[in-house]
Amino acid sequence: SRWFAGAARFVNQPLSVKLTDYAGQRDVLKQIAFDVLIHPIWFFPMYYTLKEALCGHPSLFDGESPAAIGKVALSKYAANNFDTRSEDGLLTDWIAFWKIWVLGDVVVYGLCPMWARLPANHVFSFVYICVLSFMRGSSAEKDLPCVIVEHESDGPSEQNQIRKDA
């Protein structure tokens, strides 16, 4: 690419040559900096919005407007990462991102040959999405009590459990 023109040349060199190729190492550091500082800016709002749209209460499936879902999603993102009263601390998603992706980017941009970059990137992406899902996958609604509600048309023998919104 134009931004990192020497990337293909650098990754195709043997490791012994990479260790003395300081211009190539600077390009790798630029790629890593771009990935860990720029990508989270758009990734996290998209992740929270998609999670809220699919798993939130109400969700897109319930007919909620995209604007309302976006507002809730961004407020959760802000509360989880920028609220000083958060029990997890500041920038928890970002720190988890950095813990995986700094090492991942060193592997992807510095050690993998060009043909293996995408598969290696996908492995690290999968690992990170698993970590983020474990961190943010649960919802407060799962602990709400369920109540038994009878549908008038179904008769007393058929009952459904629904969550009580409190």
Side-chain angles (χ1 to χ4, degrees):
S1 79
R2 287 184 191 160
W3 288 6
F4 311 110
R9 178 195 54 79
F10 182 78
V11 298
N12 289 324
Q13 295 175 345
L15 184 59
S16 59
V17 176
K18 287 180 187 179
L19 293 175
T20 58
D21 183 356
Y22 301 115
Q25 291 174 13
R26 276 192 300 275
D27 272 349
V28 168
L29 290 176
K30 290 178 196 175
Q31 291 174 75
I32 293 170
F34 179 83
D35 194 47
V36 299
L37 297 175
I38 303 300
H39 283 151
I41 292 170
W42 59 264
F43 171 78
F44 289 123
M46 286 175 46
Y47 171 82
Y48 275 87
T49 302
L50 186 60
K51 181 181 181 299
E52 196 64 28
L54 298 177
C55 303
H57 297 285
S59 69
L60 278 177
F61 302 115
D62 299 328
E64 186 64 40
S65 76
I69 289 171
K71 183 177 179 181
V72 171
L74 293 178
S75 68
K76 286 183 179 181
Y77 169 56
N80 287 336
N81 290 283
F82 304 112
D83 187 355
T84 56
R85 299 172 307 227
S86 171
E87 59 192 39
D88 293 333
L90 292 174
L91 298 173
T92 53
D93 294 341
W94 286 67
I95 291 168
F97 184 91
W98 293 331
K99 284 179 180 178
I100 292 172
W101 277 109
V102 170
L103 174 63
D105 285 344
V106 167
V107 171
V108 170
Y109 297 129
L111 301 175
C112 285
M114 200 56 98
W115 62 266
R117 276 186 168 192
L118 226 58
N121 195 340
H122 293 329
V123 168
F124 284 103
S125 292
F126 177 75
V127 169
Y128 179 68
I129 292 298
C130 289
V131 168
L132 188 60
S133 293
F134 282 119
M135 287 173 53
R136 303 291 178 221
S138 66
S139 63
E141 288 85 14
K142 82 175 191 180
D143 296 325
L144 290 176
C146 290
V147 295
I148 305 297
V149 175
E150 286 186 24
H151 292 286
E152 291 178 21
S153 61
D154 294 334
S157 62
E158 291 187 35
Q159 298 175 338
N160 294 324
Q161 287 188 346
I162 61 171
R163 296 202 181 276
K164 179 180 177 184
D165 292 328

